Amino acid sequence: MQGDEVEHVTSTSSPPLRICCYGSSSKKTPDRYLSQSHSLGYTLAKRGHMCVNGAGVNGCMGSLNEGVVEGNGDVVGVIHKMFLVDGGDWMDGTSEVFRRKGGTNGGGGYSGNAEILVADGEDLYERKRMLARGADAIVVLPGGTGTFDELWEMASSLSLGFVNIPIVCVNIDGYYDPFADMLQRAHTDGLLYAKPHDLIHFETTSVLAVQWIEAEIEKRQKIDDNNSSSVGGGEQKLIRRKTPSSTVRKCFSIFFSNTLSRLFSSSGGKDQYIPNAAAGKEQITMTSTLPLLVAFSAGVFLGVNSGRRPH
C-alpha cells in the first residue's frame, strides 16, 4: 500500500526522532486518507523514527500502525484506562502490533519494538500529555473532534511558548484548508500572537510532511548552534570591557579624594564665615556640608555606573 512514492525516501541522514501522530479512528475513514496514513507509518519506520499514536486499529491510526509494522519500525501506543474492561479483551480495540506477544518483537516477520501505555484520569488530558511527552514533532492526519482537540491544544501550547516543536498537517485533498484559512483570518484580525506558518505547517502528502520535519529540525539546530556561538563571543567581549571600567573607577576615586581633602582643609569655608553666632553656625554648616554631599553623591553615582556591565 505504500506505493512508489514511499520507496524513494527510505534513506535519511536525520537523527532518529520521536514523532507524535494524530488521526482518525473511524471505520468510515476514506481510502485516500488510509493510504497516506500507511505511507506515514512506513516512512517513519524506514527513516528510523519512532511513531507515537493512539494505538487504534481502525481509521488513520490503524493504517498508520500497519505501515510501521511493514517497515519494521518502533511504535508506542497510548490508550486510556476506560478501555480496560474486566472480563473482556481490552486489546481488541488496539492495532494488531500491540496485541502480539509482549507487544515487542512479536513474530510474523515484525522485528521492531511496540509498546503500549495506559493513561489514567477522569478525562483525556493525561492521555494527550503522554502522547506528546518527549515528542520532537507532531504530524496530524485527517481526523474528527478528538484530532482537532489534540491539534489545537498543541498549537496553543506552541503559541504560548510551552513547547517548541514543529507541527505539520497532512492536508490531503484540502482537508485542512479551513484550518489554514481560520489561522490566516485570526492573524489578519490581530487575534494571534504568532504568524500562522509559525504555528502549523501544511503539506499535501505524508512523505513531504516527514521531509519538512527533518529539514525544520535541522534548521532549528543550526540556529541554536549559532546562537550558542554568539553568546560565547559576547561573554569574551564582556570580559575585555571590564578593564576600562576599572580604570575609570580609579580616576573617579582619585578625583573625589582630592575634592574631599579640599573640603576638609583649613581654608575650606573661611570665605563663607558669618560673624553672627546664631546664623553663622548654621551658615557655616550649610556651606561646608552642601559641597561635600554633592561631591560624595556624584562620586557614588559615577563610580557605580562606570562599573556596570554592558547588556
Side-chain angles (χ1 to χ4, degrees), residues 151-293:
L151 168 60
W152 287 121
E153 179 168 321
M154 292 306 298
S156 297
S157 295
L158 178 59
S159 176
L160 295 173
F162 289 110
V163 298
N164 185 26
I165 58 176
I167 301 175
V168 56
C169 289
V170 184
N171 193 21
I172 307 164
D173 289 344
Y175 184 81
Y176 282 111
D177 282 352
F179 280 32
D181 294 340
M182 185 184 300
L183 284 169
Q184 186 56 54
R185 173 63 184 272
H187 180 260
T188 300
D189 291 351
L191 304 180
L192 290 183
Y193 292 108
K195 295 180 180 178
H197 64 265
D198 290 333
L199 293 177
I200 302 176
H201 183 76
F202 299 89
E203 291 288 354
T204 56
T205 69
S206 296
V207 170
L208 292 176
V210 175
Q211 290 176 329
W212 177 80
I213 285 174
E214 294 173 345
E216 182 68 13
I217 290 179
E218 181 180 4
K219 181 181 72 174
R220 295 185 183 194
Q221 184 60 54
K222 288 181 179 179
I223 292 175
D224 289 342
D225 292 343
N226 291 335
N227 289 340
S228 297
S229 299
S230 299
V231 170
E235 290 176 349
Q236 292 176 354
K237 291 181 180 179
L238 196 64
I239 294 173
R240 288 198 296 268
R241 293 184 64 177
K242 287 180 180 179
T243 301
S245 296
S246 177
T247 302
V248 170
R249 288 199 299 273
K250 289 180 179 180
C251 291
F252 278 117
S253 177
I254 295 172
F255 173 78
F256 286 105
S257 292
N258 292 335
T259 302
L260 293 176
S261 295
R262 283 168 159 175
L263 290 170
F264 284 109
S265 67
S266 59
S267 60
K270 280 187 177 181
D271 293 339
Q272 300 298 324
Y273 178 76
I274 299 177
N276 187 310
K281 184 177 180 180
E282 182 179 353
Q283 185 72 27
I284 290 171
T285 302
M286 291 294 293
T287 55
S288 298
T289 305
L290 184 58
L292 174 62
L293 291 175

Side-chain angles (χ1 to χ4, degrees), residues 37-153:
S37 300
H38 185 282
S39 170
L40 176 60
Y42 185 83
T43 301
L44 292 177
K46 286 300 184 181
R47 294 170 83 83
H49 305 315
M50 176 177 287
C51 176
V52 183
N53 64 80
V57 66
N58 298 310
C60 289
M61 289 296 95
S63 293
L64 173 69
N65 288 317
E66 289 175 4
V68 173
V69 171
E70 186 171 329
N72 285 316
D74 297 334
V75 60
V76 175
V78 183
I79 65 171
H80 193 276
K81 72 171 185 178
M82 65 181 292
F83 297 108
L84 302 179
V85 181
D86 293 337
D89 186 0
W90 60 272
M91 293 292 282
D92 283 345
T94 64
S95 174
E96 181 183 354
V97 67
F98 302 110
R99 285 180 275 147
R100 302 184 182 195
K101 183 179 180 180
T104 304
N105 299 331
Y110 174 60
S111 60
N113 294 316
E115 180 182 5
I116 191 77
L117 303 177
V118 179
D120 201 347
E122 298 179 353
D123 52 28
L124 294 174
Y125 173 78
E126 180 63 16
R127 178 174 178 268
K128 290 187 290 183
R129 189 185 70 83
M130 292 174 64
L131 279 166
R133 183 172 57 197
D136 295 301
I138 303 289
V139 179
V140 187
L141 295 161
T145 55
T147 302
F148 300 161
D149 174 44
E150 293 163 338
L151 168 60
W152 287 121
E153 179 168 321

Side-chain angles (χ1 to χ4, degrees), residues 297-308:
S297 300
V300 171
F301 175 79
L302 294 173
V304 170
N305 278 278
S306 66
R308 286 183 176 172

